[in-house]
Amino acid sequence: MSKILCYIINNEKLYLEQILAEYDYPILYTCIDKNRKRYLAMCVDPEEGRYIVAQTTCQILIKMMRDSIKMIDAFKTAHRIFSVISSSNDISQDIVKPIEFSKISKDDLPEENAYFELLDSEEAIREYIRVLEDEIKEDDIQHYPTFEMIGDFVFSAINQVRMSMNKAYKTYFRFQSYPIIEKTMQYELVDSKHFEEELVYESSFS
Amino acid sequence: MTEELLDRFADVLKAALQSQLVSFPEDNTIVSDFTPLEPVYRVVRREPNNRFPICIDDFLSHIERYKSGEIIKGVGSESERELQYYSCSFFDNVKSLKRIMNLPKKNKHIIIGSINPENGVIRVSQGSGHIDLWLFKNNMIFAQFSYDTGGDSL
């Protein structure tokens, strides 16, 4: 993660990840927070310190850079969009406000029909696309169950069934064995009475 | 770097070099003796219906344009220590400017012209077509440029 802190939005620090368009200053770039959420940031007016920051996804960024969607669509499809007015020398004092896409002035957005149009020579951005693609693959792998997870699930399911059957069997057995228990208790009482009588009888001879 | 060359740079760059805030790399990527480059393109801003003549203010570096301590997002607070922010940008092809032209801020215009060793020292980024020019002071580079009227070239 880069050390260049760009924004603090909802207490999340957004760091510069990749510059996508730059002239004398970065105009379009991506940011990343500690939870690896991605943001597409755009300098609207450097003199006025106005920026638009859109929380987006790796998939949308790749689509934009690969020209599957227009640049403006990356903002249109964003989860959340923020308008930022820079405080010139203290990022924590920036004025950050959520804004709806429909409320953003047309002048503050990319041209309506403009695509990113990645050039063959932009190797750094091509490498960045590969990094994002790898991250998506890793996320997919993490979401697919592993053999270990399947094993755990099957073992847990079998265990649940076994415990349920055991409980049902015990309940059934207990219900069925009540008369036997009662009889056994009666025998035990009789036996103990008989045993006491025997003791009295034996003691009379001693 | 020779004293003679140092004296030719704009004051802000000269001061930064002298105080060792920045330094030119020793890998020969920055050259002072080069074949003039033409055409080269640069973007300038003009308010609508106010296309006044190209002037030296159109060739200010990032450091010269923005006040010290002012944070430009994505540049960081240490921009004074980065040599690239003392240069002004050009492209050797107009296609590289297309994306920039499609992004805010509006009212951007392309100017077209040439640069030569009398203007300053350059670094050409292989592949991207981007050229950094560290301009000499009291330079008349603006006289070498005109508005690109061939808007269709984009």
Side-chain angles (χ1 to χ4, degrees), chain A residues 20 23 25 88 94 121-122, chain B residues 42-43 45 71 73 99 127:
Chain A
L20 304 177
Y23 199 60
Y25 56 89
S88 84
D94 287 354
S121 55
E122 293 181 297
Chain B
R42 182 168 165 79
V43 174
R45 293 207 193 92
I71 294 173
K73 306 287 189 187
R99 192 179 308 143

Side-chain angles (χ1 to χ4, degrees), chain A residues 76-98:
Chain A
K76 206 180 279 183
T77 58
H79 298 160
R80 293 182 299 172
I81 307 178
F82 301 92
S83 151
V84 179
I85 298 175
S86 170
S87 73
S88 84
N89 56 8
D90 184 357
I91 289 175
S92 66
Q93 298 301 310
D94 287 354
I95 300 166
V96 180
K97 286 181 183 169

Side-chain angles (χ1 to χ4, degrees), chain B residues 24-25 28 37-38 50 55-56 68 74 81 104 107 117 130 134-135 147-149 151:
Chain B
F24 282 114
N28 297 325
L37 301 173
E38 187 176 14
N50 190 9
C55 64
I56 196 63
S68 179
R81 294 184 177 277
N107 308 324
H130 181 260
W134 288 272
L135 198 62
Y147 288 104
D148 180 28
T149 51

